Amino acid sequence: MRILILGGDGYLGWPTAMSFAAQGHDVCVVDNYLRRNIARETSSEALFDNPNLVDRAALFEATHGKRIRVEIADCNDYRSLERIVRDTGPEAVVHYAEQPSAPYSMRGFDEARRTLDNNLGATFNTVWALLQHAPECHLIKLGTMGEYGTPNIDIEEGWLDVEHNGRRQKFLYPRQAGSLYHTTKVLDTDLLWFYVRTHGLRVTDLMQGPVYGIDTAETRGDQRLMPNFHYDDIFGTVVNRFLVQAVAGIPLTVYGKGGQTRGYLNLKDTLQCVALAAAHPVKRGELRILNQFTEQFTVNQLAARVQAAGARIGIDVAVKNIENPRKEAEDHYYNAKHQALLDLGLEPHLMTEEVLVEMMQHVIRHKAAIDPRKVLPRVRWNG
Ligand code: USQ
């Protein structure tokens, strides 16, 4: 398959590109290094350096014998994106080209504006480039479980049957996101649903939970092929952060009461899910929404797991409940369906103690590079 990956330099984009290329697909990645630039601007650099996209692709070709085409371009520049879509004629586009940090989006006006413009602009341009140059292409878009928020009823996979005054209709499941970043994903979904209904676009929107992990089948332990691993408060997701904190001897930063429940998944399962979506495209005029996670935990449960994994290798891990910088429910009902990807064949890699220990051992090799100033939250939701 000819696959175009937008945001191909990211934590998910680069491993996805390697995975598809290793399976023999014809892969082109597009990125403008927005995340690398924001990381520099906010002193939120990853734990270890990652070669730039051109060098990563050259290294991957040298080690795996497969070519990944690289385009350094901004998906918000329609003419560039249009040219790339025309040149590559993709059968699937995987769209990760968004500013992915909730804290960054809540930092102030400039960051909020940049998040809104970048995320909506990239989605809008992608839709138009496909409508004009590859109308049969299947768009696989990365959404987020955070679109749903934490409602007091079960979370369905994208849609809800509503009965009102004796009549019924299926609607997009109600969404109420907890950050501007998450809200841009809600708006993306609405935009996509509009173009699916009116122009017959083919879309799979993946509602993904927080991801953890550092290694995939294609990295083969070669750090230069590993994804950017963040532990800072801006780009680091909670599990990755907790593992670094454990290694650095910093008490795990549980925000507030720690009863916040989310659906988590291993990076290896992100790759599986995207591959399954690509292998099972939807029809024209269909928006498929899949909830992409494998296990639900509270933050307190995650902290306890990291503590247990630390104990296994002789690290005494402390936990500290600190004031929550975010505005979110800390003690709530959460029951999200996640059956559709299992039905397509997903075989989950669960968060076992071995998995956490292995990640911690990798982090230990970089212990000297951990900068404690990046760990505590620097952004508050209410300014
Ligand atoms: N949390 C802590 N302590 C920390 C960091 C986080 O208690 O040190 C809590 C947060 O308050 C939140 C939960 O852990 O309740 C998850 O936080 P996170 O930073 O791992 O995840 P989030 O900000 O929601 O964003 C991440 C990715 C984002 C993706 C999202 C999926 O950065 O791109 O969309 O996970 S989801 O959370 O399902 O919306």
Side-chain angles (χ1 to χ4, degrees), residues 33-81:
Y33 296 137
L34 176 68
R35 193 248 330 142
R36 288 184 192 247
N37 290 331
I38 293 177
R40 264 197 299 274
E41 287 165 21
T42 59
S43 298
S44 304
E45 292 87 356
L47 181 60
F48 47 87
D49 286 341
N50 304 102
N52 69 36
L53 204 41
V54 173
D55 291 347
R56 283 172 151 183
L59 187 63
F60 179 73
E61 188 168 351
T63 52
H64 292 70
K66 308 272 187 191
R67 184 166 173 267
I68 294 175
R69 172 171 165 179
V70 175
E71 292 277 354
I72 303 302
D74 183 355
C75 295
N76 269 277
D77 172 5
Y78 184 66
R79 297 300 160 209
S80 300
L81 185 63

Side-chain angles (χ1 to χ4, degrees), residues 303-315:
R305 282 172 168 258
V306 171
Q307 239 174 351
R312 180 88 96 80
I313 52 172
I315 298 179

Side-chain angles (χ1 to χ4, degrees), residues 225-265:
L225 289 175
M226 285 182 180
N228 47 281
F229 184 81
H230 282 273
Y231 63 97
D232 54 272
D233 63 316
I234 302 285
F235 290 113
T237 49
V238 64
V239 181
N240 292 353
R241 275 168 60 69
F242 279 4
L243 292 169
V244 172
Q245 292 167 7
V247 168
I250 299 168
L252 307 187
T253 54
V254 172
Y255 293 168
K257 289 190 212 154
Q260 302 92 308
T261 307
R262 302 286 184 272
Y264 293 84
L265 77 163

